[in-house]
Every structure is written in structure tokens, then in C-alpha cells.
């Protein structure tokens, strides 16, 4: 009885510590943002959200995040496929490098993009010669978003490819189906839940990116100023109400995306 009582007490204390951590570091900051944005009422909130610069920053962020997500869907699916289905020298090294954007400070990632694609670089000079610039324009923002969200689709697709029953694929070939028909009708449906969840996580992450983007965007209001940098500027301008209002928009959208991801994963596990 004494041992059982101690075990229950330890378990209760552990659960309490986890809940305290969850409340202090997640729930309270989220509630603080919503409280800050609405504390002056609905009218100041709407004025902050409907500000032309804020609205343009949010729309630009959504547009570029969608572009980066689409790129990641194609790149992530192909890279995940190659890393699982093929064996070649350096595969393990490449597989470990996939997670580099998670480990690398995003500001360092932005500096890497600046050095690689900047006007003084080989790529940047070639682009300038062709009549367009990369850094301090929208393409650089897309590259930064792709970089920081690169692992999501790959890591979501790989487990599904590993768990896939190859007998269905072999049966399709035995029945005379082509490789493209087998891929799109047998393999791709099994990969689709991972692609969907990875894409939604990548999109949500791209919406909030700051460190890599701020170095390469130029941050021109109405042109290359994205939402996260706009929020930072509002804080620097001593306007927490405006910063919180835009933050609420992004936060609410992120909640909806995470809910959709959980729904997709629940349906996949239910099957």
C-alpha cells in the first residue's frame, strides 16, 4: 500500500508539473496576446487589422507562404522518395542534413541566403545580368521560407513510405500497370496524408518566419514587408495593440492549421 501510494503521489506530481509547464509557457502567453489585442475594444482592433500596411503585410505573407509550401510539396515528396527507395553513397549524410534547418539559427540561414544570392554573389550577379534581383525582393523571401520549412514534408512522407506494403505495388506491376499509373493510383494515395500534414505544418511555419526573412527581404512597406517583420516594427514603434492584432490573425490561422493536421492524422490512424 505504501509503495502504491508513493507511485500515485509521484504520478500526480509529474502530471501537475507538466500541466504547470503547459499553462505557464503556452496557455498564458496565448491568452495574453488575445487580451492585449482586444483590451481596447473591437474598434481599435479592427483599425489595427485594417491598416493598409498591416493588411498588405498579411496578404504578402499568405501569398509567399503558399508558394513556399507548394515548392516544398514537390521537393519534399521527391527527396523523401529518393531517400527511402534508393541506396547510394552519402545517403545517410544527406538524410541527416534534412534536419539542418531545425538545428540552425534562422538568422544564420538568412545570412547564408544573403551570401549565396546577394548582389555580390555569383548567382546574384547572374540574376542581375538577366534583369531581375533576388535578394531584397519576393524571391528571397520564398527561398528563406522554403529553407526553414524544408524538413516538414520529407519527415512526414518518409514513415509512410517505410510502412507501405510493397505487395500492392508489386501486384499493380503484375497486372500490367505502368510505373506512372502505379505511382498515382497505388503509392501516392498512401503518401497523401503525410504530404498534407507536412504541407500544413510547413505553411504554418512559413507564416511565422522572422529571422531568415528579415535579412533578405528588404522590409519595404507594402512591397516586401511580411507580417512577422511588421509585428516587430510595431513593437519597436511602441504600438503593442497593432502588433497584437496582427499576431492574433496569424495565431488563429495557425490554430486552424494545427487542427486540420490533427484531423488528417486522426483519420489516417483510424484507417
Amino acid at each position: 500500500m505504501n509503495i502504491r501510494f508513493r507511485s500515485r503521489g509521484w504520478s500526480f506530481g509529474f502530471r501537475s508539473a507538466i500541466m504547470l509547464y503547459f499553462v505557464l509557457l503556452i496557455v498564458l502567453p496565448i491568452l495574453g496576446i488575445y487580451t492585449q489585442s482586444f483590451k481596447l475594444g473591437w474598434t481599435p482592433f479592427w483599425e489595427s487589422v485594417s491598416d493598409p500596411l498591416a493588411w498588405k503585410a498579411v496578404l504578402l505573407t499568405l501569398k509567399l507562404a503558399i508558394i513556399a509550401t507548394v515548392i516544398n510539396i514537390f521537393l519534399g515528396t521527391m527527396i523523401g522518395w529518393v531517400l527511402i527507395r534508393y541506396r547510394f553513397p552519402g545517403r545517410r549524410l544527406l538524410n541527416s542534413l534534412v534536419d539542418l534547418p531545425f538545428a540552425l539559427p534562422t538568422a544564420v540561414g538568412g545570412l547564408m541566403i544573403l551570401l549565396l544570392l546577394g548582389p555580390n554573389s555569383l548567382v546574384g550577379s547572374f540574376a542581375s545580368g538577366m534583369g531581375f534581383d533576388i535578394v531584397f525582393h519576393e524571391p528571397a523571401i520564398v527561398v528563406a521560407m522554403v529553407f526553414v520549412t524544408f524538413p516538414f514534408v520529407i519527415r512526414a512522407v518518409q514513415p509512410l513510405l517505410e510502412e507501405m506494403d510493397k505487395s500492392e505495388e508489386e501486384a499493380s506491376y503484375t497486372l500490367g500497370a505502368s510505373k506512372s499509373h502505379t505511382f498515382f493510383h497505388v503509392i501516392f494515395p498512401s503518401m497523401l496524408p503525410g504530404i498534407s500534414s507536412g504541407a500544413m505544418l510547413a505553411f504554418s511555419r512559413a507564416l511565422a518566419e522572422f529571422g531568415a526573412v528579415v535579412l533578405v527581404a528588404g522590409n519595404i512597406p507594402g512591397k516586401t514587408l511580411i507580417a512577422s517583420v511588421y509585428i516587430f516594427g510595431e513593437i519597436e514603434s511602441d504600438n503593442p495593440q497593432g502588433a497584437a492584432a496582427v499576431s492574433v490573425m496569424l495565431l488563429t490561422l495557425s490554430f486552424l492549421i494545427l487542427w486540420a493536421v490533427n484531423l488528417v492524422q486522426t483519420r489516417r490512424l483510424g484507417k
Side-chain angles (χ1 to χ4, degrees):
M1 288 294 294
N2 191 26
I3 295 177
R4 184 180 300 176
F5 177 77
R6 290 181 179 178
S7 177
R8 289 180 178 176
W10 181 87
S11 177
F12 176 77
F14 180 76
R15 291 197 303 269
S16 300
I18 294 297
M19 291 302 299
L20 181 62
Y21 168 86
F22 181 79
V23 170
L24 290 178
L25 296 185
I26 298 178
V27 176
L28 289 182
I30 291 175
L31 291 178
I33 291 177
Y34 279 94
T35 301
Q36 177 68 34
S37 61
F38 287 104
K39 73 176 184 178
L40 298 180
W42 171 257
T43 301
F45 171 81
W46 179 248
E47 290 176 353
S48 299
V49 170
S50 59
D51 180 89
L53 290 181
W55 194 240
K56 288 182 179 179
V58 172
L59 290 180
L60 178 66
T61 305
L62 290 173
K63 182 184 76 172
L64 300 182
I66 291 173
I67 295 173
T69 302
V70 172
I71 294 173
N72 265 321
I73 288 174
F74 288 100
L75 285 179
T77 302
M78 290 188 293
I79 293 173
W81 174 270
V82 170
L83 291 176
I84 294 299
R85 288 301 183 96
Y86 295 94
R87 297 294 181 269
F88 52 89
R91 185 181 68 88
R92 291 186 178 180
L93 176 61
L94 290 177
N95 189 51
S96 64
L97 289 178
V98 169
D99 294 323
L100 182 62
F102 286 157
L104 196 68
T106 54
V108 176
L111 180 60
M112 291 168 53
I113 296 171
L114 185 62
L115 295 177
L116 179 64
L117 304 178
N120 296 325
S121 67
L122 179 62
V123 178
S125 300
F126 178 78
S128 297
M130 296 294 291
F132 66 93
D133 297 318
I134 301 175
V135 173
F136 309 133
H137 293 80
E138 292 183 8
I141 302 175
V142 173
V143 171
M145 288 181 173
V146 170
F147 175 79
V148 298
T149 60
F150 181 69
F152 285 107
V153 175
I154 299 174
R155 293 311 188 207
V157 167
Q158 284 181 320
L160 299 181
L161 289 173
E162 291 175 344
E163 298 170 0
M164 189 179 299
D165 187 2
K166 291 187 178 181
S167 61
E168 297 180 3
E169 184 179 350
E170 294 171 355
S172 178
Y173 292 136
T174 302
L175 294 173
S178 63
K179 289 186 177 181
S180 59
H181 185 277
T182 301
F183 177 81
F184 285 108
H185 292 83
V186 177
I187 300 173
F188 184 74
S190 299
M191 299 167 57
L192 188 57
I195 295 173
S196 301
S197 60
M200 287 186 285
L201 289 174
F203 177 71
S204 180
R205 178 69 181 82
L207 287 179
E209 179 51 32
F210 174 81
V213 171
V214 70
L215 295 178
V216 300
N219 308 319
I220 303 172
K223 294 184 177 181
T224 61
L225 182 66
I226 65 169
S228 59
V229 181
Y230 175 85
I231 292 170
F232 177 76
E234 291 299 290
I235 294 295
E236 290 289 296
S237 302
D238 195 25
N239 183 22
Q241 172 72 22
V246 177
S247 298
V248 162
M249 295 177 61
L250 299 180
L251 183 60
T252 303
L253 184 58
S254 296
F255 276 138
L256 294 175
I257 293 172
L258 290 177
W259 175 81
V261 170
N262 290 330
L263 182 62
V264 170
Q265 292 177 344
T266 302
R267 288 185 175 181
R268 180 170 66 88
L269 294 175
K271 293 181 179 180

